Amino acid sequence: MNVPSPNGNRAHAVLAALVLGSAAVAIALDWTSFGQQFDKYAYDFLFRLEQPKPWAPNSVILEIDERTLEKYGGMANLRTALADGLERICTAKPAAVAIDLILAEPSVPQVDQRLEQAFAQTHNLVLPAYVMPDARWEEPIPQFRKYAVAIGQVHADFDQYDSVSRDIPLAKAAGQVRRWALALEVFRVVKGADILESPNDLTVGTVRIPSRDRDGRVMRIRYAPVAMGGVPRVSVYDLDARPQLAELFRGKAVFAGVTAQATGDRALTPYSNSVAMPGIEMNANVYETLAQGMFLVDVSVVSVILSCMLLAGCAGFIFSFLSGRFANTAGICLIVLSQALPAVAFRRSIVWPWLPGTLTATLALAAAASWRHLLLRRALAAAGAEKTRYQKAMQFVTHEMRTPLTAIQGSSELISRYSAMPEAKRKQMAELINSESKRLARMIETFLSVERLSAGEMEMKHERFPVTELVERCTERARPFAERKQIAIEISTLPPGHLSGDRELMEYAVYNLLTNAVKYSPANTRVRVFGEDDKGGRIRLSIEDQGIGMDKKEVGRIFERFYRTKRAEQSGEVGTGIGLSIVEQIVAQHGGAIQVESEPGKGSRFTLLLNRAS
Ligand code: ADP
């Protein structure tokens, strides 16, 4: 048996289509919300796994927590608490102070005046604004606004399925006004630089912030690692109790806002584990991302597609050139590689989607393995068929050739043993030896023809010859044989025109059909040969007899090698059951077809459909 080495262009084309198809399916799936969600979970996982080393924070949160609220008498006195806090930290000269409190409405005049005073003393004050559902900007009232060096928007970006904030829009537009994010404004103010825009990034001083215009200037937030304990927070309550804590704010960017649970201004982060982070802390984290320059950049779509194709190619390569344990081990390595890719990329601050690579590797390996399996099964089946064919051939050799060989052996032994054999007897034996050896030679010739034809080793000539000539030559050869049975061979109408192919092989086919028609017909009948143009531009050449015929089941088997019908066996006509299988192969090699119509006891019609020579 041949060990199936899957070569052959067609098989490889199928494999290529399978693995590339797998990559295409994986990439397409990644574009669905289902795929995106998988990628996000993988992102969160890597986010927790690959945390950066803690850094010295550049910002501090001035928080109005539960205790502060309690002390000041609830939400109604938020502004007083904020004013107190700001006044306490201003001696420490923070680099900038961002406020994340709604200041769009006036409250009690004395309270607002207090806050105004506090704002007046605050260096680099940045106030918030956000877009209302009616697309209007809600901004601080002018009384406060006039102290601000910048107004920043405080919109977060929550995932629509799991509500996790993984990124933030650095810009937001409503009406005619477009605003930068609060943290970005603080960063700009601290840097003392402008924000410069290009299609792929924003630049503040020397810091290039990757955030594409066409994606809405979204930036991934690099939340401070768990080991760092988040951005430091100091509550107004604690500041009141220990004013020296104000020193913690020295030179820092301050984010002032409410952290008390009651406000509900909270967001989930990849670290969250379902504990939400106050909005003000999220802003501080955005600032830390900018200040540390720790940007997470998404890999380009082209790179993802190319990597998927590469993984698919590897899967194809593995099952094309390796087998058994080696293929399995290499397959596992490929899966591991597809998993490692997003992790390695994440370490380099590149966000590589997890699903397309994983899915490509899995699907492509499964497809390639199935391909290999099917190929192996086909090779096994082919080997099995080959074995049966050889077994049949051997049976043929032993059965069919034994008779002439026995005759030859017997006769030659007799001749050599009896030297006094009469001349007439000796002559008769010599003739027997001669005719039997000729029969043997014919059998061997036929047998070899079949083998060579089916192995595709028979070289076919390409000649051009008229249909009439082919038919006439064959009938002439068959006529003496027909006359012995008083069978008339008639040629009816034949279409004009030429055929192209191997004349000798074609003659073999037509002659075979003619001799079969004669062989399987009783004496005093007629064999008719006729032709016509087929609708499909081919020539139909029919040989019709009035012989023993066959039933449907028999017709279905006559092209099998060594098959003979019961009627044929009983007719006394010698045969091997090979002729028609050669005829079928010759016709097929010429791009033609063969049809059989037959009825037991009535006769048969064999029709060849042959291509015209152009
Ligand atoms: P062979 O004639 O040597 O047996 P073939 O391959 O030429 O082998 O034909 C296979 C079988 O098909 C024959 O044995 C016979 O049973 C059947 N057959 C072929 N031609 C005819 C025919 N014209 N009429 C009836 N049976 C036929």
Side-chain angles (χ1 to χ4, degrees), residues 516 519-520 545 558 563-565 568 575-580 604 606:
N516 272 357
K519 247 165 61 175
Y520 301 117
D545 63 52
I558 51 173
Y563 175 79
R564 303 196 74 209
T565 62
T576 55
I578 290 188
L580 279 183
S604 313
F606 284 76

Side-chain angles (χ1 to χ4, degrees), residues 147-406:
Y147 298 104
V149 292
I151 305 279
Q153 54 89 5
V154 285
H155 285 270
D157 196 0
F158 298 104
D159 184 272
Q160 58 169 321
Y161 296 107
D162 61 14
S163 306
V164 173
S165 280
R166 298 180 179 89
D167 46 40
I168 184 169
L170 288 179
K172 181 100 187 159
Q176 298 294 312
V177 184
R178 182 161 167 261
R179 289 221 151 86
W180 298 117
L182 187 78
L184 179 59
E185 284 290 5
V186 175
F187 186 61
R188 173 183 74 81
V189 167
V190 172
K191 284 266 163 196
D194 285 333
I195 300 168
L196 303 177
E197 283 196 72
S198 73
N200 290 330
D201 353 80
L202 300 174
T203 308
V204 179
T206 52
V207 181
R208 203 172 55 79
I209 307 157
S211 62
R212 272 199 294 246
D213 191 22
R214 79 178 133 97
D215 297 339
R217 297 283 183 211
V218 162
M219 182 192 80
R220 289 190 183 266
I221 310 169
R222 178 76 89 151
Y223 290 96
V226 174
M228 201 172 125
V231 177
R233 297 185 197 184
V234 179
S235 70
V236 176
Y237 179 91
D238 284 337
L239 264 178
D240 285 346
R242 288 184 289 151
Q244 67 275 22
L245 285 176
E247 268 313 299
L248 291 172
F249 293 83
R250 187 164 296 279
K252 305 280 180 191
V254 177
F255 287 83
V258 183
T259 58
Q261 292 275 0
T263 58
D265 176 21
R266 286 176 170 258
L268 292 172
T269 76
Y271 293 139
S272 281
N273 206 3
S274 75
V275 179
M277 175 185 274
I280 189 67
E281 190 174 350
M282 207 178 90
N283 278 308
N285 274 285
V286 174
Y287 182 81
E288 290 296 331
T289 310
L290 295 167
Q292 292 299 317
M294 282 196 170
F295 303 112
L296 283 161
V297 186
D298 285 68
V299 71
S300 72
V301 176
V302 177
S303 305
V304 173
I305 292 175
L306 284 180
S307 69
C308 285
M309 299 219 308
L310 196 71
L311 283 170
C314 288
F317 181 87
I318 287 170
F319 282 96
S320 182
F321 295 104
L322 303 178
S323 58
R325 241 179 318 144
F326 294 112
N328 293 343
T329 314
I332 291 169
C333 289
L334 195 71
I335 300 257
V336 171
L337 180 77
S338 71
Q339 301 299 302
L341 193 64
V344 172
F346 198 91
R347 282 205 171 169
R348 294 166 182 271
S349 298
I350 298 168
V351 180
W352 199 296
W354 171 80
L355 190 73
T358 306
L359 214 57
T360 299
T362 318
L363 288 181
L365 281 171
S370 316
W371 171 86
R372 171 98 197 178
H373 179 72
L374 282 179
L375 213 76
L376 208 85
R377 263 193 25 195
R378 267 206 354 220
L380 276 172
E386 182 88 331
K387 203 172 155 195
T388 329
R389 206 166 68 82
Y390 269 97
Q391 271 171 353
K392 278 199 170 180
M394 286 318 288
Q395 273 171 15
F396 167 74
V397 172
T398 45
H399 279 108
E400 298 299 316
M401 296 191 181
R402 197 182 288 152
T403 325
L405 271 178
T406 317

